[in-house]
Amino acid sequence: MNRINQKLEEDKKLLSIYFTAGYPNINDTVTVIENLEKSGVDMIEIGLPFSDPLADGPTIQASSTKALHNGMTSERLFEQLKNVRKTVSIPLIIMGYFNPMLQYGVEEFCKKCQEVGIDGLIIPDLPVDVYHDNYKSIFEKYGLINVFLITPQTSEERIRYIDSISNGFIYMVSSASVTGSQSGFGDAQTEYFQRIANMKLKNPQIVGFGISNNETFMQATKYAKGAIIGSAFVKHLTNSGVEKVDDFVTSILT
Amino acid sequence: MNRINQKLEEDKKLLSIYFTAGYPNINDTVTVIENLEKSGVDMIEIGLPFSDPLADGPTIQASSTKALHNGMTSERLFEQLKNVRKTVSIPLIIMGYFNPMLQYGVEEFCKKCQEVGIDGLIIPDLPVDVYHDNYKSIFEKYGLINVFLITPQTSEERIRYIDSISNGFIYMVSSASVTGSQSGFGDAQTEYFQRIANMKLKNPQIVGFGISNNETFMQATKYAKGAIIGSAFVKHLTNSGVEKVDDFVTSILT
Amino acid sequence: MSYNINEKGYYGEFGGAYIPEMLYPNVEELRQNYLKIMAEPSFQEEFNALLKDYVGRPSPLYFAKRLSEKYNTKIYLKREDLNHTGAHKINNTIGQILMAKRLGKNRIIAETGAGQHGVATATVCALMGIECIVYMGEIDIARQAPNVARMKMLGATVIPALSGSRTLKDATNEAIRDWINNPVDTHYIIGSVVGPHPYPDMVAKFQAVVSEEIKSQLLEKEGTENPDYLVACVGGGSNAAGTYYHYLDNEDVNIIAIEAAGHGIDSGESAATSVLGKEGIIHGSKTLLMQTKDGQITEPYSISAGLDYPGVGPMHANLYKTGRAEFIAITDNEAMKAGLDLCKLEGIIPAIESSHALAVFEHKKFKPDDIVVLNLSGRGDKDLQNYIDYFKL
Amino acid sequence: MSYNINEKGYYGEFGGAYIPEMLYPNVEELRQNYLKIMAEPSFQEEFNALLKDYVGRPSPLYFAKRLSEKYNTKIYLKREDLNHTGAHKINNTIGQILMAKRLGKNRIIAETGAGQHGVATATVCALMGIECIVYMGEIDIARQAPNVARMKMLGATVIPALSGSRTLKDATNEAIRDWINNPVDTHYIIGSVVGPHPYPDMVAKFQAVVSEEIKSQLLEKEGTENPDYLVACVGGGSNAAGTYYHYLDNEDVNIIAIEAAGHGIDSGESAATSVLGKEGIIHGSKTLLMQTKDGQITEPYSISAGLDYPGVGPMHANLYKTGRAEFIAITDNEAMKAGLDLCKLEGIIPAIESSHALAVFEHKKFKPDDIVVLNLSGRGDKDLQNYIDYFKL
Ligand SMILES: Cc1ncc(COP(=O)(O)O)c(C=O)c1O
Ligand SMILES: Cc1ncc(COP(=O)(O)O)c(C=O)c1O
C-alpha cells in the first residue's frame, strides 16, 4: 500500500509541508526533509523548481529561481533522494510543472520516482484529461499517486469526476489564487470547505494555499483531512535556515 | 525733380548704403545718415525694422530685432527724421515690409514720407500688380518713387513691364537670395549684369545683395549705375559703431 | 455669394500674393500650372491611388457613442488620425509632391510646427526619392521630439529656426528664405492653407477629400449628406478647410472653427487670431493676424505646436469676417482636459491640436438630434510627453 | 491534410490546454462559448462595424514600388501599421472585448511585450468603459516607453513584471497569476496565438480578417487571390496567423515565417524558436519552445520586444514541423537595416518586429514576377528611440 494512502488512514489531521528542492542551498534538500519528519510533519511536497511557475506567488517563485541558480535539476534531485528512504518514512510527493517532466521523459521520470521512494506527484499544469488519456497507466505502473486540485470555482460535476480518477487525496485550493496570496480565511472559505465535506467524496481532501499559522491550519482542517503549508514555510527557511524547521512546525501545531 | 532722379543723372557710379533705423541704438538713425553723407555716400536706404523680414538674412534680421527692441516704430522714425533735411541733401529711401505701412495707413505713411523729405520707398513684399492697381496714385501724389526688384530669374517680359512702371531706378538683386548670403560674384552674375545692361532699359539699375567690399562694388558697377550695400555695413555698425562710418565707406570706394 | 476663392486669388478681401520679387517666378509658375496639373487624369489617378493604398483613405467617419452620450448629441469623428503618419497633413503633401514632380523640381523644403507636416513631407520625399529640408522652430523641436526623430529616420534634414518666437511662424520665415535662395530646383511644400496664392487654394483642394468623404459616409450612416455642424481646429486652417470645403456654400451646414486661446484670450499668451487679430500681411497673404498696432507680428502662444501661429489662412479670415463660421477660442487647459476625456471615453489619444476642437462640447450645447462632425485631425503620439507632464500621469 | 485546428484544440500534435485547475472554469467557459458567440450575427455586426469605423479597416494592400525595384520582385505590404493604435493587435482586442462583454466580464487583464497589445487592450477597454490591467516586463517598459505612456493616457494600470527575463514571457506569467487570483469577473485578453486552447484559435480567427482582405485586394490588383509568398514575423504568431489563415490549406501559396535571431542563432542571445526550440509546454500550450535540456524555459533575447518570446503558437509549431512554412531567422542588425531601408525607400517607419519580416529580401531571392505579400504588422513610432540610438541619427 502506498505510503500516502496509509497516512491518510491515520486518525488525525495531517500537516503537509511544501518546500523547494535545492533551497536555500543546493544540498539542503534532504536535510529539510529529515528535519521536517523529525518535527512531526505528516507528509512532504518536494518542489521541483521551474523557471516559470505560473501557479505560484512571489515567495515560491523566488525560491525556485534561487534553486535553479543553485543548479537544481530533475537529475540532481533524484541523485539527492537516492538514499532518502534510509532515513525518512513519511510520504514524499514531488510537486512540479509538467515541462521538466516531459523533457526528462514522463515514464523515465516516474520510474526514477519509484526508485528513490517517491509516493506521488502534484503537477498543477497537467490537466486531468491529458493525464487520464496519456499518463495514468504509466503513473500506476510505477505506483505513483497523482494528486489533482480543486478550487472554489470547480463545478460539482467536475469534482466528482476528479474524485473518480483520484486514488489518494484531493488537493483543495482554499481560494482561487496563486500560492502565498491569502492571509486568513473568511466565510466564503468556510462555506466552501463545508460544501466539499458534504459531498462525501471517496478521496479525502487536503487544503492548500493560504495556510500560514496555527489558526489557519485549524480552520482548514476543521472540515478537511489535512492542510498543506508552502509559502509560509519557504519564508521561514529564507529567514531562519534549515536548522530551525522545528520552530516552524511547532508554531503551526500548537 | 525728385532727389533720386537728380542723383541718377550724375555722371558717376553711385554708392547706396542700407542700414536699419534705430540701430545699434534708438537715436542713432540721424547720426548714421549724417555720417554716411559726410563719408561720400550717394544715397541711403533707411530700413524700417519688421518682426518677420523674410527677404533678409541673419545680419539684417538681427539688427531689425534689436531696433524693434530699442523701440523703433514708424511713428518714431518719422519723428527722428523730422529735421533731417536741415542737414542732409542726398536721396533718402525707406526700405521696409508692407504690413507696418498698411497698419499705419498707406496714404498717411506716404504723406509723412513727403513731410520729412523721403524720396522713395522699397517694399520687397508689395508686388508690382498690387502697387499698380491700388497704390501708384498715392505714391505719386506724395512725390515718392517706388523701387522694384528684379532677379536673375525675372523674365525679360517682366523686366520690361517693371521698367515701364518704374520712374527712378530698378533694384537689381545680384543673385536670387536673401540679403547677406553671397560673397563675391561669379560668371553667372557677370553674364546677368551684362544681359540686363544690354536691354537698354529706361530706368538705370542699381545692384544690391552681395556687395561687401571694393572688389564687389567695382564688379557690380561695371555694367550698372550703382550698388547698394546692406549687410556688410550693418555688420560694420555692429562691430565699430556709428562713429566709424567713414572707414567703411572709404574701404568700399578705394 | 461664394465662400470659395475668386479668379484673382482672393476670398472676399483676403488672400493674394504679397511676395518679394525673388519668389515671383516660383509662385507664378505654380499659379499658372496648379489647376491644369490637378485636372490631368494621370495626376488624379496617381493622387487617388496613393491616398487609398498608401495613406489608407477613406478615413473612417466614426460615431463616438460614449462621447455622444456624455454630451447628449450625435458626434461623428472624422478619423484623420488614422492616416499614414498620423494626421491630415499627408493629404496635402501627397498632392504637392506629385505637383513638384510634374514641375520638374528635385529639392523640397517645408516648415513645420507640430512636426506633422514635416513628417508628412519627409515621408512623401522618401517615397519619391527626393531631397527634403524641414525648418522647425527651436521650441517646437523640443516639444515635439518624436516627430523630429521620425523626420530623421525618413532621411530629412531638420533645420532649427532660431529667430523670433522660435515656433511655426519663424520656421515659415526660414523656409521662405530658403526658397528665395533656391529659386529654380526647389518646391516649397507649405503645410497649411496659408502663404501666397495659389497655396491656400491648392492646399484646400488637396484637403477637400475630407469633406468629400464626409458627404458619402454621412449619407450612408444618417441618410443625409449634411451634418448640422462641422467642427475643426484652426492653426493655419488646412484640416478645417478640408472639412468645410464641399459645404462652404451650403448654409444648411453650420461651421465652427476652433482657435487656441493659450492661457486665455486676455492673458497675452494666446494664438486666437480671430479675436486678437487684424487685417494684415503675413507670409505672403492678406489675412487676419495678430500684430501690434504698429504692424509687427505678435509672437503667439499655444500649448499646441500646430496651432501656435499668429495668422489664419485667408479662407478662414473671410469665413470670420462674413460670419459664415462661428469662431470659438479654447484654452490650453480646456483642450488638455478634452483630450484626456477622449482617451478615457473612446480609446483614442488625440493630437493636442484636435483636442482643442474636442473642447467645443464644453463650450456649446448641441441638441440631442444634432449631427456634429468633428475633424480628429491627428493622433496624439507626438504629444504623449506633454499630456503626461500636464496630468502628472 | 489541414493545417487548421482540430476539434480537440490541436494543430497536429501541438496545442491543447495545459493549465492549472484554477484556470479551468475560465478557459472552459471560453472554449464552450467562443465559436457560438463569434457566429452570432450581432457579434459579427458589431465586430465588423468597429473594424471598419474605429480601427480603419480594410488596411491597404500597398504595392511598394521602390522596394520592389530594389529587390526586383513584386512586393505588397499589408498595412496593419495604419490600424488604430498602430498594429495588427487591435483586430484581436476588438474581438476579445466583445467576447468578454458577452461573457459578462467586467475586468480585463493582458500581457504585453512591445506594448502594442497593451495599448490595443487599454484602447478597447476605454472604448467599452471596462477596467484594464496590463502586465509588462520591466525591460520592455524601458524600451517601449511611448506605449507605456499611451496605456496610462487610456486609463490602464501597467504593472511591471519583475521576474525572469523581465520581458514578454514573464509578463504572461504575471497575467496568468492575476487570472488565477481573479477567476470570476476577469477576462484575460491574450495578445497572440499562444496560451491554452481556445486562445490560439480564437485569436487566429480574429486576425483572419487580414488574409480575407488580402484575397480580395490582390484579386483587384493582380487578378488572382493567391500570392506566391506570404511573409510575416512571428513572435507568438498572431500577425502571421492572420496573414496565413485563409491560405493555410492552399499549397499554391508559399508561407514564410520570420523569427528573431537576436545577436545570432548561436550567440546564446536569440529568440529563434524554430531552430533553437523543442517541443514542450509554455503558457498552457504544447508547442515549440526554447528551453534547457532540463525543461527550464530559456530567457530569450531580441532587440524587438514583440518577438522576444521563447515560444511560438501551436499553429506555427505545426507549420514548422510539417514543413508547410519556411522559417527564416533574422538578426537584430539585419532587421534594423531593413527597417531603415523602408523608411528611406517608402516613407514608412516600421515597427522593429515588422522590420524582421522586411529583412527577408536580403535573405531570399524572389523571381521578378513573384508576388510577395508581407504583413507590415506595425508602425515604428514606439521604436523611434531604439532606431535613433542604433543608427546614432
Ligand atoms: C494634428 C494637427 N491638427 C491640426 C493642425 C493645424 O494645422 P491646420 O490648421 O492647417 O489644420 C496641425 C498642425 O501641425 C496638426 O498637426
Ligand atoms: C508590430 C508588431 N508586430 C509583431 C508582433 C509580434 O506578435 P505576433 O507574433 O503575435 O504577431 C508584435 C507584438 O507586440 C508587434 O507589436
Side-chain angles (χ1 to χ4, degrees):
Chain A
M1 192 186 199
N2 184 297
R3 286 181 203 90
I4 296 172
N5 297 118
Q6 261 174 318
K7 177 60 78 178
L8 290 164
E9 285 183 359
E10 290 181 18
D11 184 20
K12 62 176 289 204
K13 299 296 184 179
L14 305 181
L15 172 62
S16 183
I17 296 276
Y18 167 96
F19 80 103
T20 305
Y23 183 83
N25 301 299
I26 182 75
N27 289 320
D28 286 340
T29 314
V30 174
T31 315
V32 172
I33 293 171
E34 289 174 350
N35 289 355
L36 282 170
E37 179 170 52
K38 272 182 231 153
S39 313
V41 158
D42 297 296
M43 198 153 66
I44 298 176
E45 278 142 43
I46 306 166
L48 176 62
F50 183 50
S51 55
D52 295 78
L54 44 76
D56 289 301
T59 306
I60 293 181
Q61 187 180 13
S63 70
S64 300
T65 304
K66 180 80 193 312
L68 288 172
H69 193 79
N70 290 343
M72 184 48 69
T73 64
S74 305
E75 195 59 57
R76 189 96 174 243
L77 178 59
F78 289 129
E79 193 63 37
Q80 291 180 344
L81 296 180
K82 212 163 47 186
N83 298 315
V84 74
R85 280 308 173 195
K86 292 194 178 146
T87 53
V88 175
S89 58
I90 58 173
L92 297 176
I93 294 171
I94 287 182
M95 180 158 184
Y97 289 81
F98 192 46
N99 197 52
M101 303 178 192
L102 200 61
Q103 301 310 315
Y104 199 88
V106 176
E107 173 142 15
E108 188 60 21
F109 194 92
C110 290
K111 190 157 160 266
K112 279 282 185 181
C113 282
Q114 188 186 44
E115 278 172 27
V116 301
I118 293 294
D119 306 295
L121 291 166
I122 303 176
I123 311 167
D125 61 342
L126 177 62
V128 188
D129 288 337
V130 178
Y131 167 75
H132 185 266
D133 296 352
N134 303 318
Y135 301 113
K136 187 161 180 283
S137 57
I138 299 174
F139 278 50
E140 284 170 0
K141 177 170 164 194
Y142 296 101
L144 295 171
I145 285 175
N146 194 24
V147 177
F148 297 106
L149 278 56
I150 63 171
T151 81
Q153 274 67 46
T154 311
S155 68
E156 175 162 347
E157 185 190 348
R158 187 166 169 84
I159 292 173
R160 298 235 174 260
Y161 167 63
I162 287 173
D163 189 38
S164 77
I165 67 163
S166 295
N167 57 355
F169 64 91
I170 288 174
Y171 190 136
M172 191 161 103
V173 175
S174 65
S175 66
S177 68
V178 294
T179 56
S181 29
Q182 296 291 316
S183 57
F185 296 129
D187 290 350
Q189 268 91 23
T190 313
E191 187 270 329
Y192 159 58
F193 296 158
Q194 218 163 344
R195 172 164 61 86
I196 302 301
N198 291 343
M199 285 181 75
K200 309 274 178 234
L201 302 175
K202 82 177 205 297
N203 292 278
Q205 303 96 50
I206 299 193
V207 178
F209 290 48
I211 295 147
S212 57
N213 52 25
N214 178 260
E215 186 194 342
T216 42
F217 179 73
M218 297 307 285
Q219 283 179 287
T221 53
K222 186 163 172 202
Y223 299 98
K225 178 65 186 167
I228 304 174
I229 299 182
S231 296
F233 179 66
V234 172
K235 256 183 219 145
H236 181 82
L237 277 182
T238 308
N239 296 333
S240 313
V242 298
E243 301 309 326
K244 298 282 168 57
V245 164
D246 200 25
D247 295 359
F248 181 80
V249 176
T250 310
S251 79
I252 299 300
L253 294 176
T254 55
Chain B
M1 191 186 199
N2 184 298
R3 286 181 203 90
I4 296 172
N5 299 119
Q6 261 173 320
K7 176 60 78 176
L8 289 165
E9 285 182 2
E10 290 180 17
D11 184 21
K12 63 176 289 205
K13 299 295 183 178
L14 305 181
L15 172 62
S16 181
I17 296 275
Y18 167 95
F19 80 105
T20 305
Y23 182 84
N25 301 300
I26 183 73
N27 288 321
D28 286 340
T29 314
V30 175
T31 315
V32 172
I33 293 170
E34 289 173 351
N35 289 352
L36 282 169
E37 178 169 53
K38 273 182 232 155
S39 314
V41 158
D42 298 294
M43 194 152 67
I44 298 176
E45 279 143 44
I46 305 166
L48 176 62
F50 183 49
S51 55
D52 295 77
L54 43 76
D56 288 302
T59 306
I60 292 181
Q61 187 181 12
S63 71
S64 300
T65 305
K66 179 82 195 306
L68 289 172
H69 192 79
N70 290 343
M72 184 47 69
T73 64
S74 306
E75 195 60 56
R76 190 94 174 246
L77 177 60
F78 289 129
E79 192 64 35
Q80 293 180 343
L81 296 179
K82 212 163 49 187
N83 298 316
V84 74
R85 282 302 172 198
K86 294 192 177 149
T87 55
V88 175
S89 60
I90 57 174
L92 297 177
I93 295 172
I94 286 183
M95 179 158 184
Y97 290 80
F98 192 46
N99 197 53
M101 303 179 191
L102 201 58
Q103 300 312 316
Y104 199 89
V106 176
E107 173 142 16
E108 187 61 21
F109 194 93
C110 291
K111 188 157 162 268
K112 280 281 185 181
C113 283
Q114 188 184 46
E115 278 172 28
V116 301
I118 293 294
D119 307 293
L121 290 168
I122 304 177
I123 311 167
D125 60 342
L126 177 62
V128 187
D129 288 337
V130 178
Y131 167 75
H132 184 266
D133 295 351
N134 304 318
Y135 303 111
K136 188 163 183 280
S137 57
I138 299 174
F139 278 50
E140 284 170 359
K141 176 168 165 197
Y142 296 101
L144 294 172
I145 284 176
N146 194 24
V147 177
F148 297 106
L149 281 54
I150 64 170
T151 82
Q153 274 67 45
T154 311
S155 68
E156 176 162 346
E157 184 190 349
R158 187 166 171 84
I159 293 172
R160 298 234 175 261
Y161 168 63
I162 287 172
D163 189 39
S164 77
I165 67 164
S166 295
N167 56 356
F169 62 93
I170 287 175
Y171 190 137
M172 190 161 101
V173 176
S174 66
S175 68
S177 66
V178 296
T179 56
S181 30
Q182 295 290 315
S183 58
F185 297 129
D187 290 351
Q189 267 92 24
T190 313
E191 188 273 330
Y192 159 60
F193 296 159
Q194 219 164 345
R195 171 165 61 87
I196 303 301
N198 291 342
M199 286 180 74
K200 311 270 179 238
L201 302 174
K202 81 176 206 295
N203 292 279
Q205 303 96 51
I206 299 193
V207 178
F209 289 48
I211 296 148
S212 57
N213 51 26
N214 178 262
E215 188 195 340
T216 42
F217 178 72
M218 296 307 286
Q219 284 180 286
T221 52
K222 185 162 172 205
Y223 300 98
K225 177 66 187 167
I228 303 173
I229 299 182
S231 296
F233 179 66
V234 171
K235 255 183 219 144
H236 181 83
L237 276 183
T238 308
N239 296 331
S240 313
V242 299
E243 302 309 326
K244 299 283 169 58
V245 163
D246 199 25
D247 295 358
F248 182 82
V249 176
T250 310
S251 79
I252 299 298
L253 294 177
T254 57
Chain C
M1 174 172 184
S2 170
Y3 297 96
N4 223 313
I5 201 157
N6 66 24
E7 335 65 69
K8 290 195 153 167
Y10 283 82
Y11 299 87
E13 56 199 277
F14 301 105
Y18 294 78
I19 47 165
E21 184 62 28
M22 293 82 102
L23 291 180
Y24 181 84
N26 267 322
V27 171
E28 181 62 10
E29 178 186 26
L30 193 62
R31 191 187 67 76
Q32 285 184 5
N33 291 293
Y34 82 110
L35 291 174
K36 207 170 56 200
I37 290 176
M38 284 177 72
E40 285 168 8
S42 78
F43 182 95
Q44 281 298 318
E45 205 174 288
E46 203 175 344
F47 183 57
N48 290 330
L50 284 174
L51 287 188
K52 175 163 176 273
D53 293 339
Y54 186 70
V55 175
R57 303 206 72 89
S59 70
L61 186 68
Y62 166 66
F63 177 67
K65 190 157 162 285
R66 302 215 308 142
L67 195 67
S68 296
E69 278 162 11
K70 173 163 179 182
Y71 291 106
N72 194 23
T73 188
K74 289 159 92 171
I75 304 172
Y76 284 89
L77 303 178
K78 181 62 174 164
R79 298 291 304 275
E80 295 299 299
D81 63 312
L82 293 180
N83 292 344
H84 182 48
T85 70
H88 67 289
K89 297 282 183 188
I90 188 105
N91 303 324
N92 170 42
T93 61
I94 292 272
Q96 286 206 46
I97 198 78
L98 297 180
M99 184 67 64
K101 272 178 62 179
R102 279 163 176 78
L103 294 172
K105 308 290 178 176
N106 56 32
R107 182 174 174 274
I108 295 294
I109 56 171
E111 87 295 341
T112 196
Q116 285 302 134
H117 175 59
V119 168
T121 304
T123 294
V124 297
C125 287
L127 181 63
M128 298 298 171
I130 297 181
E131 182 187 2
C132 178
I133 289 98
V134 179
Y135 292 90
M136 186 170 190
E138 200 183 25
I139 299 240
D140 293 337
I141 286 181
R143 64 178 159 172
Q144 308 276 230
N147 277 344
V148 178
R150 292 165 83 196
M151 287 185 266
K152 287 185 186 163
M153 283 289 294
L154 294 162
T157 305
V158 180
I159 302 184
L162 305 171
S163 61
S165 54
R166 291 167 294 143
T167 61
L168 181 51
K169 159 176 93 69
D170 313 286
T172 309
N173 291 340
E174 292 302 337
I176 292 175
R177 286 189 184 111
D178 180 310
W179 208 20
I180 289 175
N181 286 335
N182 297 280
V184 180
D185 62 339
T186 298
H187 175 70
Y188 177 19
I189 300 192
I190 295 186
S192 192
V193 288
V194 300
H197 179 66
Y199 276 103
D201 185 43
M202 179 172 67
V203 175
K205 285 189 160 67
F206 287 139
Q207 292 290 359
V209 63
V210 173
S211 50
E212 194 181 311
E213 289 174 3
I214 292 173
K215 285 176 88 167
S216 61
Q217 289 169 326
L218 204 62
L219 186 62
E220 189 190 315
K221 289 183 193 298
E222 293 281 350
T224 169
E225 290 188 341
N226 296 348
D228 297 290
Y229 292 90
L230 291 168
V231 182
C233 67
V234 176
S238 66
N239 88 84
T243 308
Y244 310 155
Y245 196 85
H246 291 286
Y247 296 104
L248 278 174
D249 296 337
N250 174 351
E251 306 220 15
D252 290 345
V253 178
N254 297 296
I255 290 178
I256 299 177
I258 305 289
E259 290 182 316
H263 292 327
I265 292 287
D266 302 319
S267 67
E269 297 191 279
S270 175
T273 304
S274 72
V275 195
L276 300 171
K278 280 196 329 189
E279 289 176 34
I281 312 283
I282 182 171
H283 296 140
S285 173
K286 184 184 260 187
T287 186
L288 291 174
L289 63 139
M290 290 164 52
Q291 50 184 316
T292 64
K293 70 174 196 329
D294 207 49
Q296 307 297 340
I297 299 176
T298 306
E299 297 188 1
Y301 165 80
S302 165
I303 194 170
S304 150
L307 304 182
D308 198 355
Y309 184 73
V312 291
M315 173 197 282
H316 301 291
N318 187 49
L319 292 176
Y320 177 75
K321 183 88 182 257
T322 58
R324 172 68 181 97
E326 176 180 2
F327 278 66
I328 297 177
I330 296 294
T331 64
D332 287 1
N333 292 349
E334 292 167 322
M336 295 303 274
K337 206 181 142 305
L340 190 62
D341 239 42
L342 192 72
C343 296
K344 298 285 164 69
L345 285 175
E346 298 287 350
I348 301 171
I349 307 174
I352 296 179
E353 289 78 13
S354 316
S355 296
H356 282 75
L358 288 161
V360 74
F361 299 108
E362 288 288 336
H363 259 254
K364 191 177 167 82
K365 184 129 188 64
F366 297 94
K367 292 201 292 294
D369 60 353
D370 277 345
I371 297 172
V372 184
V373 172
L374 183 148
N375 190 334
L376 198 74
S377 56
R379 65 180 186 230
D381 293 48
K382 67 185 180 61
D383 296 313
L384 287 173
Q385 201 53 53
N386 299 319
Y387 278 121
I388 299 268
D389 292 348
Y390 184 89
F391 290 112
K392 304 191 173 49
L393 288 179
Chain D
M1 175 170 181
S2 169
Y3 297 95
N4 223 313
I5 201 158
N6 67 23
E7 335 68 66
K8 290 195 153 167
Y10 282 83
Y11 299 87
E13 56 200 278
F14 301 104
Y18 294 77
I19 48 164
E21 185 63 29
M22 293 81 101
L23 290 180
Y24 182 83
N26 267 322
V27 172
E28 182 61 13
E29 178 187 26
L30 193 61
R31 191 187 66 77
Q32 284 183 5
N33 291 293
Y34 83 108
L35 291 174
K36 208 169 58 201
I37 291 176
M38 284 177 72
E40 284 167 10
S42 78
F43 182 95
Q44 281 299 319
E45 205 174 287
E46 204 175 344
F47 183 57
N48 291 330
L50 284 173
L51 286 188
K52 176 164 177 273
D53 292 340
Y54 185 70
V55 175
R57 303 205 70 90
S59 69
L61 186 68
Y62 166 67
F63 177 68
K65 188 154 163 286
R66 303 218 307 144
L67 194 67
S68 297
E69 277 161 12
K70 172 162 180 183
Y71 291 106
N72 195 23
T73 189
K74 290 159 89 172
I75 303 173
Y76 284 91
L77 303 178
K78 181 62 174 163
R79 299 291 304 276
E80 295 299 300
D81 63 310
L82 293 180
N83 292 344
H84 181 48
T85 71
H88 66 290
K89 298 284 184 188
I90 189 106
N91 303 324
N92 169 42
T93 60
I94 293 272
Q96 285 206 46
I97 199 77
L98 298 180
M99 183 68 64
K101 272 179 62 181
R102 280 162 176 79
L103 293 172
K105 308 291 176 175
N106 57 32
R107 181 174 175 274
I108 295 293
I109 57 171
E111 88 295 342
T112 197
Q116 285 302 134
H117 175 59
V119 169
T121 304
T123 295
V124 297
C125 288
L127 181 64
M128 299 297 169
I130 297 182
E131 183 188 1
C132 178
I133 289 99
V134 179
Y135 292 90
M136 186 169 190
E138 200 183 24
I139 299 240
D140 293 337
I141 287 181
R143 64 178 160 174
Q144 308 277 234
N147 276 343
V148 177
R150 294 164 84 196
M151 287 185 265
K152 287 184 187 163
M153 284 290 293
L154 293 161
T157 305
V158 180
I159 302 184
L162 304 171
S163 60
S165 54
R166 291 167 294 144
T167 61
L168 180 52
K169 161 177 91 70
D170 312 286
T172 309
N173 291 339
E174 292 302 336
I176 292 176
R177 287 190 184 110
D178 181 310
W179 210 18
I180 289 175
N181 286 334
N182 296 281
V184 180
D185 61 339
T186 298
H187 175 71
Y188 176 19
I189 300 192
I190 296 186
S192 192
V193 288
V194 299
H197 179 66
Y199 276 102
D201 185 44
M202 179 172 69
V203 175
K205 285 189 159 69
F206 287 139
Q207 291 290 359
V209 63
V210 173
S211 48
E212 194 181 311
E213 289 173 5
I214 292 173
K215 285 176 86 169
S216 61
Q217 289 170 325
L218 205 60
L219 185 63
E220 189 189 315
K221 289 183 193 298
E222 293 281 350
T224 169
E225 290 188 341
N226 296 347
D228 296 291
Y229 293 90
L230 291 168
V231 182
C233 66
V234 175
S238 66
N239 87 83
T243 308
Y244 309 156
Y245 196 86
H246 290 287
Y247 295 104
L248 278 175
D249 296 336
N250 174 351
E251 307 221 14
D252 291 348
V253 178
N254 296 295
I255 291 178
I256 298 177
I258 306 289
E259 290 181 315
H263 292 327
I265 292 286
D266 302 320
S267 68
E269 297 190 278
S270 175
T273 304
S274 71
V275 194
L276 300 170
K278 281 197 326 185
E279 290 176 30
I281 311 284
I282 183 172
H283 297 141
S285 172
K286 184 183 260 184
T287 186
L288 291 174
L289 63 139
M290 288 163 53
Q291 49 185 316
T292 65
K293 72 173 196 325
D294 207 51
Q296 306 298 339
I297 299 174
T298 306
E299 295 187 2
Y301 165 80
S302 165
I303 195 171
S304 148
L307 305 182
D308 198 354
Y309 184 72
V312 291
M315 174 198 282
H316 301 292
N318 187 49
L319 293 176
Y320 178 73
K321 184 88 181 260
T322 57
R324 172 70 182 97
E326 177 180 1
F327 279 67
I328 297 178
I330 296 294
T331 63
D332 287 1
N333 292 349
E334 293 167 322
M336 296 302 275
K337 207 181 142 305
L340 189 62
D341 239 43
L342 192 73
C343 297
K344 298 285 164 68
L345 285 175
E346 298 287 349
I348 301 172
I349 307 174
I352 296 179
E353 289 79 13
S354 316
S355 295
H356 282 75
L358 288 160
V360 75
F361 299 108
E362 288 288 335
H363 258 255
K364 191 178 166 80
K365 184 126 190 65
F366 297 94
K367 293 200 293 292
D369 60 352
D370 277 344
I371 299 172
V372 183
V373 172
L374 183 147
N375 190 332
L376 198 75
S377 55
R379 66 181 186 229
D381 294 47
K382 66 186 181 62
D383 297 313
L384 288 174
Q385 202 53 53
N386 299 318
Y387 278 120
I388 300 266
D389 292 348
Y390 184 89
F391 291 111
K392 305 191 173 48
L393 289 177

